[in-house]
Amino acid sequence: NAAGRIEAADVALDLLLTDDFARAAVLARQLEDANRERQQIERRLLESAIHTVERDGLAEHAAALVLSGADWHLGVIGIVATRLVARYGRPIAIISIQPGGPARGSVRGIEGVDVTAALRECSPLLVRYGGHSQAAGLELDPKLVPKFAAAFDHAVRQQIGGGRPQRSLHVDSAIGLGDITEELLDWIERLEPYGYGFPPPMWAAFDVEVTDWRIVQTAHVRMELRQGSHRMQAIAFRQADRPRPGGTVDVAFELKRNSGPRDQAADLVLSDWRERAVRT
């Protein structure tokens, strides 16, 4: 969907509709270029937002984070908000202040916080807003952004009963690496389609050793995990800034069928991991 975020969505539509191979090749290259541009814009905006949070210590006390910048690209602010939610574990609003125009923002939430209800509490400061409990958009006068940041933080704090949101990750079941089979993947795929309100199963494996660790495409980590005599490949998207764990770990992951050449049924797509302080 990069064409819709960066250029015009009709490029993607034209690619799907054309029966001219040469035309399709040209359109496909346009989409590839648009996606690379989208990745660069997203990376710059994300780095800027993280720098602001870390420099000002915003994550230390805030229940919600509101970050704004002049002319931040409207096509990627929602993606950046999602990345920051994963990093900081609290609701995030990313606001783009348009030259000579209004400020527009994207909001992403966490489990246990209804961001649309929080925006409702801030509605006197907003021109308009809308969305659902975990994602919303808004528009407001740029001069009111600081007041909105304080009001949004207060509204989220009221929902969670004060303090800061606590990170949580719902795990459906623990499993051993040796129990991941083709049959299990068949059953997982029978439950599809997954989506909002019906996420794919989240699994946990305990006391796992990281035997290989490689950064891929600058942002992701490819690793090999060993549990007893069983070894499996795993990928952790956008977590290359985390240090390699020194001992054994507990890992939380989704299972994706492996379509590559490796001799294992599935890839583990890691959501998180923690080092084990005490082995049991």
Side-chain angles (χ1 to χ4, degrees):
N1 61 15
R5 294 183 181 276
I6 302 301
E7 296 178 344
D10 56 4
V11 177
L13 178 61
D14 290 345
L15 174 60
L16 294 173
L17 294 179
T18 186
D19 56 4
D20 183 323
F21 183 83
R23 172 69 174 157
V26 171
L27 293 170
R29 283 193 294 271
Q30 291 179 16
L31 290 181
E32 286 289 340
D33 291 342
N35 192 47
R36 280 191 289 269
E37 182 182 357
R38 189 272 307 168
Q39 290 172 336
Q40 293 171 359
I41 294 171
E42 176 191 329
R43 183 166 55 251
R44 289 195 298 268
L45 203 163
L46 180 61
E47 290 173 351
S48 177
I50 291 173
H51 174 73
T52 298
V53 173
E54 303 295 338
R55 181 196 64 199
D56 298 340
L58 300 180
E60 296 177 10
H61 306 292
L65 297 176
V66 177
L67 303 167
S68 62
D71 204 24
W72 279 357
H73 200 295
L74 292 171
V76 302
I77 58 175
I79 303 175
V80 171
T82 299
R83 302 279 188 263
L84 293 173
V85 167
R87 184 182 181 95
Y88 295 110
R90 64 205 64 193
I92 304 286
I94 301 293
I95 297 176
S96 175
I97 299 174
Q98 303 296 299
R104 295 191 176 95
S106 286
V107 185
R108 297 295 183 269
I110 60 172
E111 184 176 355
V113 174
D114 185 332
V115 295
T116 303
L119 292 178
R120 190 178 305 120
E121 296 297 315
C122 306
S123 59
L125 300 171
L126 303 176
V127 175
R128 56 183 175 177
Y129 69 94
H132 57 75
S133 65
Q134 295 301 295
L138 60 87
E139 183 177 314
L140 76 164
D141 186 320
K143 297 177 182 178
L144 296 178
V145 170
K147 288 185 177 180
F148 167 72
F152 186 62
D153 181 82
H154 177 74
V156 170
R157 204 176 294 273
Q158 291 292 105
Q159 287 194 38
I160 63 176
R164 294 182 300 172
Q166 298 297 310
R167 284 184 177 270
S168 63
L169 180 63
H170 176 78
V171 172
D172 294 290
S173 181
I175 192 172
L177 297 187
D179 298 321
I180 298 171
T181 62
E182 291 278 2
E183 182 181 8
L184 175 62
L185 293 172
D186 289 341
W187 280 106
I188 292 172
E189 290 174 353
R190 290 184 190 186
L191 297 175
E192 294 177 345
Y194 298 108
Y196 178 73
F198 185 57
M202 183 68 66
W203 306 89
F206 302 114
D207 206 11
V208 175
E209 182 183 359
V210 179
T211 56
D212 187 39
W213 176 283
R214 290 174 287 117
I215 306 298
V216 294
Q217 297 180 355
T218 72
H220 317 306
V221 180
R222 170 69 69 177
M223 63 186 83
E224 182 184 74
L225 304 178
R226 182 173 66 189
Q227 187 183 54
S229 61
H230 300 284
R231 294 175 181 263
M232 294 201 71
Q233 296 291 319
I235 183 75
F237 292 110
R238 295 176 294 278
Q239 300 201 52
D241 58 338
R242 296 180 62 175
R244 175 173 178 165
T248 57
V249 294
D250 300 331
V251 292
F253 55 90
E254 296 176 16
L255 289 171
K256 302 290 186 182
R257 189 180 295 276
N258 174 29
S259 58
R262 294 184 301 275
D263 56 350
Q264 65 179 46
D267 268 336
L268 280 59
V269 181
L270 298 190
S271 294
D272 202 359
W273 63 86
R274 65 184 182 192
E275 295 190 39
R276 292 179 64 85
V278 178
R279 298 187 63 163
T280 59

